[in-house]
Amino acid sequence: MSRYSFLTIAAGVALTGAVLVAPMATASQAAPDIPVANVQAHLNEFQTIATNNGGNRAHGRPGYQASVNYVKGKLDAAGWTTSVKSFTYNGATGYNLIADWPGGNPEAILMAGAHLDSVTAGPGINDNGTGSAALLEVALQISATNFAPEKHIRFGWWGAEELGLIGSTNYVNSLSSTEKAKIDGYLNFDMIGSPNPAYFVYSASGQPAGSLELQQTLERYFASINVPTELTSVGGRSDHAAFARAGIPISGTFTGAEVTKTSAQAQKWGGTAGQAFDPCYHRSCDRTSNVNATALDRHSDAMAYSIWTLAGTGGGNPDPDPRFENGTDVAIADLATVESPITVTGVTGNAPADLRVDVSILHTYRGDLQIDVVAPDGTAYRVKNSSSSDSADNVIASYTVDASSETANGTWKLRVRDVASQDVGRIDSWALQF
């Protein structure tokens, strides 16, 4: 991960009290449990590569080229279509490795990526061998399970991230407007095995429309295993940034870098308060011993779940059900009622009986909040009651509403009422999935 600051913007257990939507429908459609031992085996290979090539896997160094060759060899043997895209930076040749899984709708592409380079100071096993190794193992599991997604799946291993996101930026800039428009979303995995780990999910706030669906898909996985998450704004710190600048929806997960874990985070996740999430960040000690296996396992499984869920199953066309979002912040003052509108157009007939409402509200006491979805004719559908015993932070949730009696087109509103004093927040974003 490049040296830029990041900001944690929300904390709390994802989807507390929510009705979970869009679960994996059958066992045959379920994402596999990614074997963490396999991911660790890839990390061992990256460590050996670094050890045999001057101690690192940095841009322009032989360890990076060897890392590309290792990943490409595994992918080619598993039936992926791979290509190596070269670029030049600081007088050295760099490489992006692009891998496409055959099939799926080529007009609707789900991408995931991780940077493969390290800094020159060390082998870069957590940063970012972990994301690269997990992405490789997910790719191998896609092959092993003969996954036939609705969307086309493309993975990228990026070069020269540590020098300023050079490889991913080069890739996105090389695409035509038509090719960029085919990418429905990009998931980024940069540092997912920090030794004093966090469970951060990239926030959709301020990101391109469509990012909320990616964020909440990742949150749903962690909620399903009872692991609390925090939203974080990674800004321009990693390879998602080039995709976001191109208007492509983004999200991802992150276990933390040089920032210190707070006491509240240690209480929530374990580990050591007052110590960096990764004390070996950008140092020579970022070796295989610098990885928390539990965090690596959980984030690898979250990666697989999100890809299986967002790519869809069945091998047909992408899900035609339209989605509408509003990502504009709306402040929620004490004892106030606020609304956020979404205008729905182009939908035939009535809303469905299982209209999905995705909500991201950042608030210091979620029990204060009463939430309604208001149809265009003014009918209000209660999705959350206030409760003095509901003391957690934030409402990051998916609900279903039987809106089959309502005309779909028109202006829908999310109405939020704060019923008690002392705690405030904001509507961060919300969406309707028809």
Side-chain angles (χ1 to χ4, degrees), residues 98-101 103-112 150-155 171 175 178-187 214 243 248-249 310-311 318:
I98 307 300
D100 287 87
W101 180 239
N105 190 325
E107 301 299 313
I109 299 170
L110 177 67
M111 282 200 72
E150 294 170 346
K151 294 184 179 182
H152 182 76
I153 294 177
R154 178 178 299 159
F155 289 170
Y171 173 77
L175 300 176
T178 300
E179 291 302 313
K180 291 174 187 174
K182 294 177 181 179
I183 302 174
D184 284 356
Y186 172 77
L187 297 166
L214 277 62
F243 292 86
I248 296 166
L310 293 165

Side-chain angles (χ1 to χ4, degrees), residues 14 34 220-221 232 346 428:
I34 301 302
R220 272 198 295 275
Y221 175 75
T232 186
D428 184 55

Side-chain angles (χ1 to χ4, degrees), residues 204-209 212 324-332 338-342 360-362 414 425-431:
S205 180
Q207 301 298 340
L212 181 62
F324 300 85
E325 294 187 16
N326 186 339
T328 301
D329 289 355
V330 178
I332 306 170
V338 300
E339 293 181 340
S340 176
I342 286 177
S360 179
I361 297 175
L362 310 184
L414 187 72
R426 71 178 190 269
I427 300 174
D428 184 55
S429 56
W430 74 289

Side-chain angles (χ1 to χ4, degrees), residues 58-431:
H59 167 73
R61 306 294 181 90
Y64 182 73
Q65 177 72 74
S67 298
V68 171
N69 292 343
Y70 171 74
V71 176
K72 185 177 187 301
K74 291 287 187 181
L75 294 168
D76 289 343
W80 285 72
T81 301
T82 63
S83 60
V84 177
K85 311 289 187 182
S86 65
F87 58 89
T88 301
Y89 185 74
N90 276 358
T93 301
Y95 304 97
N96 293 324
L97 173 60
I98 307 300
D100 287 87
W101 180 239
N105 190 325
E107 301 299 313
I109 299 170
L110 177 67
M111 282 200 72
H115 77 85
L116 189 54
D117 64 316
S118 74
V119 293
T120 56
I125 298 304
N126 183 41
D127 184 15
N128 180 38
T130 52
S132 291
L135 191 66
L136 172 57
E137 187 57 32
V138 168
L140 299 182
Q141 293 297 319
I142 286 173
S143 174
T145 59
N146 294 312
F147 184 37
E150 294 170 346
K151 294 184 179 182
H152 182 76
I153 294 177
R154 178 178 299 159
F155 289 170
W157 285 263
W158 311 117
E161 188 270 357
E162 296 290 7
L163 300 180
L165 320 179
I166 305 303
S168 56
T169 301
N170 179 276
Y171 173 77
V172 173
N173 289 348
S174 74
L175 300 176
S176 67
S177 297
T178 300
E179 291 302 313
K180 291 174 187 174
K182 294 177 181 179
I183 302 174
D184 284 356
Y186 172 77
L187 297 166
N188 195 62
F189 300 95
D190 188 354
M191 301 180 66
I192 60 170
S194 302
N196 190 28
Y199 290 85
F200 293 126
V201 173
Y202 293 11
S203 172
S205 180
Q207 301 298 340
S211 298
L212 181 62
E213 181 180 14
L214 277 62
Q215 170 199 308
Q216 293 192 324
T217 300
L218 289 162
E219 289 173 312
R220 272 198 295 275
Y221 175 75
F222 287 112
S224 75
I225 60 171
N226 298 314
V227 173
T229 56
E230 290 186 11
L231 294 180
T232 186
S233 178
V234 187
R237 181 170 185 149
S238 193
D239 294 300
H240 65 286
F243 292 86
R245 286 194 298 270
I248 296 166
I250 63 93
S251 194
T253 70
F254 176 41
T255 51
E258 77 281 16
V259 172
T260 300
K261 178 177 278 188
T262 66
S263 296
Q265 289 169 332
Q267 183 176 10
K268 178 166 50 181
W269 293 322
T272 306
Q275 180 175 297
F277 296 114
D278 182 359
C280 287
Y281 176 65
H282 284 183
R283 297 173 60 193
S284 61
C285 57
D286 187 9
R287 304 174 61 83
T288 51
S289 58
N290 189 50
V291 172
N292 181 289
T294 298
L296 180 65
D297 190 16
R298 290 169 172 172
H299 282 262
S300 298
D301 288 338
M303 180 191 297
Y305 172 82
S306 63
I307 289 165
W308 256 255
T309 301
L310 293 165
T313 58
N317 292 322
D319 183 355
D321 298 336
R323 181 179 175 86
F324 300 85
E325 294 187 16
N326 186 339
T328 301
D329 289 355
V330 178
I332 306 170
D334 274 336
L335 303 172
T337 299
V338 300
E339 293 181 340
S340 176
I342 286 177
T343 300
V344 174
T345 60
V347 180
T348 302
N350 284 4
D354 59 349
L355 177 65
R356 180 169 132 193
V357 184
D358 292 335
V359 177
S360 179
I361 297 175
L362 310 184
H363 197 275
T364 52
Y365 194 95
R366 55 174 281 138
D368 288 357
L369 301 181
Q370 174 182 294
I371 306 174
D372 296 289
V373 176
V374 183
D377 68 357
T379 301
Y381 295 85
R382 177 67 46 82
V383 295
K384 181 190 177 300
N385 288 309
S386 59
S387 172
S388 60
S389 62
D390 188 6
S391 60
D393 294 340
N394 310 320
V395 182
I396 300 171
S398 295
Y399 304 97
T400 55
V401 170
D402 183 355
S404 56
S405 64
E406 304 290 346
T407 300
N409 292 331
T411 299
W412 295 72
K413 297 176 182 177
L414 187 72
R415 179 181 294 161
V416 181
R417 181 186 175 202
D418 186 306
V419 303
S421 60
Q422 297 184 348
D423 290 275
V424 297
R426 71 178 190 269
I427 300 174
D428 184 55
S429 56
W430 74 289

